[in-house]
């Protein structure tokens, strides 16, 4: 198992959680029953890693490939979430 600096990883997770909350809020305007955000990415897609002394990964939050702003990411996550819940309604 990789050794991550827990403090830096927690900061990245909190940033992503904030983005998820905004995306869910936006998605719920269309599908109020939405319980969670649909995201096919993993946490590794949201961080950049630097290996440093004493043999620890230090991470920073970063936007996944293909996104140039947090707003674009939020819009994409909200859109995917709406699509998922609308397809669930019709099935």
């Amino acid at each position: 198992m990789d050794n991550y600096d827990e403090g830096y990883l927690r900061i990245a997770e909190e940033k992503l959680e904030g983005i998820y909350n905004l995306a869910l809020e936006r998605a719920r305007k269309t599908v109020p029953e939405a319980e969670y955000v649909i995201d096919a990415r993993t946490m590794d897609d949201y961080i950049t890693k630097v290996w440093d002394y004493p043999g620890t990964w230090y991470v920073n939050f970063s936007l996944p490939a293909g996104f140039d702003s947090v707003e674009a990411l939020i819009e994409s996550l909200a859109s995917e979430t709406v699509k998922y819940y609308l397809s669930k309604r019709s099935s």
Side-chain angles (χ1 to χ4, degrees):
M1 176 165 194
D2 289 335
N3 186 22
Y4 289 97
D5 180 280
E6 290 295 320
Y8 285 93
L9 186 57
R10 193 169 304 115
I11 290 167
E13 290 170 337
E14 288 170 359
K15 174 88 173 174
L16 184 56
E17 183 178 348
I19 289 169
Y20 279 175
N21 289 339
L22 292 170
L24 185 58
E25 183 180 309
R26 197 170 291 181
R28 283 183 174 159
K29 291 177 182 175
T30 305
V31 285
E33 69 271 19
E35 297 177 22
Y36 49 85
V37 170
I38 302 303
D39 187 4
R41 295 167 201 85
T42 67
M43 190 62 191
D44 282 340
D45 295 319
Y46 289 101
I47 58 176
T48 53
K49 300 186 259 185
V50 176
W51 182 256
D52 204 358
Y53 181 82
T56 300
W57 285 106
Y58 291 90
V59 298
N60 288 307
F61 178 84
S62 64
L63 293 171
F67 293 95
D68 59 357
S69 71
V70 171
E71 182 59 34
L73 176 60
I74 291 169
E75 187 57 38
S76 175
L77 290 169
S79 176
E80 289 301 314
T81 301
V82 167
K83 282 183 205 172
Y84 171 80
Y85 280 98
L86 288 178
S87 72
K88 207 172 158 182
R89 275 185 192 170
S90 63
S91 53

